[in-house]
């Protein structure tokens, strides 16, 4: 899709549009067929592209290239970090610390390790602002804690977790720390070396790169079990011939993010402040879910509950009538089970507020004018839904 | 995601409103998904002259309320009671699995109308 026609796209946390520069970098790669692992003259170009990408991602994270391992994306990176650490302890399964607000690729993987191998887990609950209290992490620590896995930025609320403090605590107790930074990388500057985490996941399509490619940062490769055996790629940690087109796309995306992340963040913050101001003065009753302060939440995300309406119905009208794309905290339910956001539920929000919630997330192709038009349309549609329900 | 019937009836639901003196009122609520629908009817000699609704719920349930109201206007309660389950199901078109609860809503609206107007199903 042409980037000029993205003014109605407000779902950047689901996926970002691929940038023109990234797309252009990938086109010649389609015919670059040579296997990077071969030693013929054609393969040198492919090998070079792999090396460049690893360097670019390493630069984005401020680390060494040999600590960057390609994966198929964030979910694979999360799976690998958790299973790769815990499978070393299957003879004597211990304890895991995570939170109730993680992505499914963390929660389901932890649950798998618990149900199949006998690990025990503590799920930390956030406060009403969506933040995990460092004191709760400390209290959850046990002598047999074998992994802490906590996300950096929540995908639904944008709320940041106190990773620097959690990392310091983990180091003090010599416990490996995995950070799911899929929503964070490309939105704020990351420095894995100063953060001192052991594992960190990222996904290229969250920062204008292609889908199907991501990374796991691994501080010490000896600390984790390889994901895929046979072939020797990725220092024999994740074998298999690389998806060169996607790798090259991630290279350009990482390069762009390294150069522009602060500018993108500032632009997003201006949009967020503008949107909040407009919403606060609109003739509808709203509540921001999760903290919205700059230092505590991503600049591109707002989670809002709107009194008297269903988020699903609002999102449907916004898309069907006006072509706006937003996300919701509560999908349609069947007659037996509820399908409401586990994140907002963990924040002790009441069900009406969850059902009336929407997530708005924007990015580098969003302008202040887009925000104004969006809010005007949103308010009109809320009023229409209120008229349908109340008169 | 939404079929054309749902899109049409949700985008511009023409039977939204209140009657000053309704002859009958049907109210239903789904305890799981929380949808709430209130239908008001103007009825003369078993004939539904006017049907209007208020709804709080998902897009498909709002559309369902509108589809129901449109479909009963100009019909007698006896004719409505003769509708077969397949006929009622077809009124909403093809639905996603998560929208199937609206079939239940539509059936319940039919049942309540039949019961209130005191006509038995065929």
């Amino acid at each position: 899709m042409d980037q000029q026609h993205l003014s109605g796209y407000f779902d950047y946390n689901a996926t970002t549009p691929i940038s023109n520069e990234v797309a252009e970098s990938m086109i010649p790669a389609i015919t670059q067929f040579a296997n990077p692992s071969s030693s013929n003259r054609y393969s040198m170009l492919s090998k070079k592209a792999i090396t460049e990408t690893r360097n670019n991602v390493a630069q984005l994270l401020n680390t060494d290239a040999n600590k960057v391992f390609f994966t198929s994306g964030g979910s694979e990176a999360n799976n690998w970090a958790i299973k790769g650490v815990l499978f070393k302890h299957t003879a004597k399964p211990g304890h895991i610390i995570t939170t109730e607000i993680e992505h499914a690729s963390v929660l389901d993987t932890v649950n798998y390790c618990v149900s199949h191998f006998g690990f025990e887990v503590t799920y930390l609950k956030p406060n009403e602002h969506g933040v995990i209290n460092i004191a709760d992490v400390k209290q959850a620590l046990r002598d047999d804690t074998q992994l802490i896995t906590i996300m950096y930025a929540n995908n639904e609320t944008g709320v940041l977790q106190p990773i620097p403090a959690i990392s310091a605590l983990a180091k003090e107790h010599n416990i490996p720390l995995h950070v799911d930074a899929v929503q964070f990388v490309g939105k704020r500057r990351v420095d894995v070396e100063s953060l001192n985490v052991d594992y960190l996941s990222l996904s290229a399509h969250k920062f204008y790169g292609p889908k199907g490619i991501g990374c796991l940062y691994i501080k010490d490769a000896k600390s984790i079990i390889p994901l895929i055996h046979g072939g020797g790629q990725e220092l024999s940690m994740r074998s298999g011939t690389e998806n060169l087109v996607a790798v090259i796309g991630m290279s350009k995306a990482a390069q762009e993010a390294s150069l522009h992340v602060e500018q993108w963040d500032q632009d997003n913050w201006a949009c967020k402040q503008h949107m909040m101001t407009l919403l606060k003065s609109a003739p509808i009753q709203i509540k921001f879910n999760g903290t919205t302060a700059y230092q505590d939440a991503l600049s591109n995300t707002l989670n809002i509950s709107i009194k008297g309406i269903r988020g699903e119905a609002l999102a449907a009208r916004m898309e069907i009538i006006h072509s706006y794309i937003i996300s919701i905290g509560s999908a349609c339910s069947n007659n037996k089970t509820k399908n409401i956001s586990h994140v907002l539920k963990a924040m002790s929000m009441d069900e009406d507020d969850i059902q009336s919630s929407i997530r708005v997330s924007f990015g580098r192709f969003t302008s202040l004018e887009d925000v104004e038009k969006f809010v005007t349309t949103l308010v009109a549609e809320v009023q229409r839904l209120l008229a349908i329900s109340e008169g | 995601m939404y079929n054309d019937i749902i899109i049409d009836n949700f985008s511009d639901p023409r039977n939204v409103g209140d009657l000053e003196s309704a002859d009958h009122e049907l109210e239903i609520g789904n305890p799981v998904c929380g949808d709430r629908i209130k239908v008001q009817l103007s009825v003369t000699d078993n004939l539904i002259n006017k049907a209007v609704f208020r709804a709080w719920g998902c897009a498909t349930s709002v559309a369902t309320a509108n589809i129901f109201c449109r479909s009963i206007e100009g019909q007698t309660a006896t004719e409505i009671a003769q509708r077969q389950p397949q006929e009622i199901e077809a009124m909403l078109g093809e639905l996603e699995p998560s929208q199937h609860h609206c079939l239940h809503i539509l059936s319940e609206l039919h049942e309540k109308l039949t019961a209130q107007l005191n006509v038995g199903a065929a």
Side-chain angles (χ1 to χ4, degrees), chain A residues 216-289:
Chain A
L216 182 65
Y217 159 82
I218 303 175
K219 186 198 276 181
D220 175 10
K222 290 194 287 295
S223 68
I224 189 168
I225 286 172
L227 178 66
I228 303 174
H229 298 88
Q233 288 88 351
E234 302 301 297
L235 298 176
S236 294
M237 296 295 284
R238 183 193 184 263
S239 294
T241 303
E242 297 86 347
N243 178 353
L244 196 63
V245 178
V247 166
I248 286 172
M250 180 164 68
S251 184
K252 178 53 78 176
Q255 213 173 29
E256 287 192 296
S258 287
L259 283 172
H260 304 299
V261 67
E262 278 84 11
Q263 187 59 53
W264 294 344
D265 185 42
Q266 281 176 33
D267 293 345
N268 282 338
W269 179 239
C271 284
K272 183 169 174 174
Q273 284 179 300
H274 196 44
M275 187 175 281
M276 287 174 68
T277 304
L278 292 170
L279 285 169
K280 280 178 190 168
S281 62
I284 56 174
Q285 292 183 61
I286 59 152
K287 183 164 104 51
F288 296 114
N289 301 320

Side-chain angles (χ1 to χ4, degrees), chain A residues 308-310 312-317 319-321 332-338 351-352 355-356 384-391, chain B residues 1-2 7 10-13 16 18 30-36 53-60 62 97-101 104:
Chain A
I309 58 109
R310 277 280 284 272
E312 188 268 356
L314 177 60
R317 288 191 70 84
E319 181 170 2
I320 292 167
I321 303 169
C332 252
S333 309
N334 59 34
N335 280 331
K336 290 177 186 158
T337 54
K338 295 186 181 188
E351 208 167 302
D352 274 356
Q355 286 194 319
S356 74
R384 178 68 179 131
L385 281 171
L386 289 173
I388 289 172
S389 65
E390 297 166 4
Chain B
M1 191 171 174
Y2 302 100
I7 288 175
F10 175 64
S11 309
D12 185 18
V16 172
D18 304 292
N30 183 316
V32 177
C33 64
D35 293 344
R36 295 189 295 272
F53 76 94
R54 295 284 174 198
W56 184 90
C58 66
T60 310
V62 173
S98 64
Q99 297 163 342
H100 281 186
H101 65 285
H104 184 74

Side-chain angles (χ1 to χ4, degrees), chain B residues 3-18:
Chain B
N3 70 47
D4 289 346
I5 299 171
I6 301 300
I7 288 175
D8 179 43
N9 283 275
F10 175 64
S11 309
D12 185 18
R14 292 170 280 276
N15 284 49
V16 172
D18 304 292

Side-chain angles (χ1 to χ4, degrees), chain A residues 7 31 35 127 155 316 368:
Chain A
S7 56
T31 53
N35 191 329
N127 63 20
N155 48 314
L368 291 172

